[in-house]
Amino acid sequence: MADLAAGGPQHVAIIMDGNGRWARARGRPRGFGHRAGGRAARAIIEHASDIGLPALTLYAFSSENWRRPASEVSLLMELLLGTLRKELNEFHRRGARLRFIGDRSRFSPDLREEMSRGEALTATNAGLCLNIALGYGAQQDLTRVMRELAAEVAAGRLRAEDINEARIAARLALGELPDVDLFVRTGGEVRLSNFLLWELAYTELYFSQTYWPDFGPADLDAAIDWYRGRERRFGMVEASACS
Ligand code: IPE
Ligand code: IPE
Ligand code: MG
């Protein structure tokens, strides 16, 4: 099991990709992969909570995933609602604090209600900070922040020269959370797909060939071990060269 005390990440963000290909490899419909992907997500959340990871952000549905066939979108919505209804009490029992990031205006009233219920129920919990990106796109999030800042400048409440990185970061959907230390994408693609563009500025990027339904706790531990071996320089020189 990963030992987070020894220089482990404080915040892990995961693009859970590969459900469709996992199902296709088994001659099954994509929905079969999404169901298996839901079970994999639950196992990773439980493991993150068990190893004491402070924050986990999971990409479950992107703003661009609305472009998928209506039948797949509605199946995903059904699965999300079912999973939330089923797992919410367990997340709460574990002390997780649940939060959704993304534009929820296109989701059904039922799903929106369940999302709000989950956030309210777990709001004061002190365990794993679990963020689920639903209807999320980083460019849209940044655009929203820019629009808000521009409105404040126009209203005379903010000076343009007072806009800085900290002000922008604080208004992003992940706002006050620690920076993402470790990014994981499963499923073999090497791209960000509009996930956390600002927040990944200095993140360590880990790409796994494993399709998401097969990505288990041991795989997360392997990613964390890999992370621990990285030297993060943040633009400086390597540690030994400083002395
Ligand atoms: C990730 O798996 C789940 C969602 C994007 C909702 P995919 O559905 O993208 O699976 P692949 O990439 O087609 O295999
Ligand atoms: C990214 O996966 C979004 C999620 C996993 C939720 P996609 O499968 O949508 O990404 P692309 O289309 O391959 O870039
Ligand atoms: Mg995909």
Side-chain angles (χ1 to χ4, degrees):
M1 209 181 253
D3 174 13
L4 289 180
Q10 300 300 296
H11 187 175
V12 175
I14 306 181
I15 299 187
M16 308 184 288
D17 193 26
N19 295 350
R21 282 164 287 158
W22 182 89
R24 194 174 59 207
R26 285 159 181 74
R28 303 297 299 267
R30 293 177 63 80
F32 183 69
H34 292 316
R35 274 178 220 284
R39 291 193 292 274
R42 189 185 56 202
I44 289 295
I45 292 166
E46 285 178 1
H47 186 62
S49 160
D50 287 345
I51 62 177
L53 182 71
L56 176 68
T57 299
L58 299 176
Y59 207 7
F61 190 85
S62 75
S63 42
E64 287 71 32
N65 288 149
W66 286 112
R67 297 174 180 157
R68 293 190 178 196
S71 56
E72 180 166 345
V73 171
S74 59
L75 179 86
L76 281 166
M77 295 299 134
E78 215 177 279
L79 284 174
L80 282 165
L81 183 59
T83 304
L84 258 183
R85 285 195 170 137
K86 205 163 130 235
E87 305 297 339
L88 196 53
N89 286 336
E90 173 62 13
F91 292 159
H92 183 45
R93 194 192 61 75
R94 284 176 166 272
R97 186 163 66 103
L98 182 60
R99 199 165 21 165
F100 295 94
I101 59 169
D103 175 8
R104 48 185 95 177
S105 64
R106 287 175 73 180
F107 294 124
S108 71
D110 272 6
L111 182 52
R112 289 210 304 259
E113 202 182 295
E114 198 61 19
M115 289 160 78
S116 304
R117 191 173 80 83
E119 288 174 329
L121 178 70
T122 63
T124 56
N125 287 348
L128 173 71
C129 189
L130 175 61
N131 308 294
I132 301 187
L134 279 185
Y136 174 87
Q139 290 184 334
Q140 289 82 342
D141 196 30
L142 276 161
T143 303
R144 174 187 58 75
V145 171
M146 290 178 202
R147 204 176 280 142
E148 284 175 18
L149 292 170
E152 291 200 15
V153 171
R157 289 196 301 272
L158 179 68
R159 296 184 316 163
E161 54 270 37
D162 289 335
I163 296 176
N164 55 26
E165 291 90 327
R167 273 211 160 89
I168 293 170
R171 282 170 186 261
L172 289 167
L174 280 186
E176 74 283 14
L177 280 177
D179 288 342
V180 179
D181 296 312
L182 171 63
F183 161 97
V184 174
R185 181 173 187 145
T186 65
E189 306 294 1
V190 183
R191 55 178 171 250
L192 297 179
S193 301
N194 204 11
F195 189 43
L196 305 178
L197 300 178
W198 175 285
E199 296 87 338
L200 297 181
Y202 265 105
T203 300
E204 299 297 326
L205 308 177
Y206 182 90
F207 294 93
S208 163
Q209 294 297 321
T210 304
Y211 293 142
W212 176 250
D214 285 335
F215 192 86
D219 299 293
L220 181 61
D221 285 349
I224 290 173
D225 283 345
W226 170 86
Y227 169 87
R228 213 179 275 106
R230 312 303 305 158
E231 189 192 5
R232 305 185 75 188
R233 290 190 286 277
F234 300 100
M236 297 172 284
V237 290
E238 63 201 273
S240 57
C242 292
S243 52

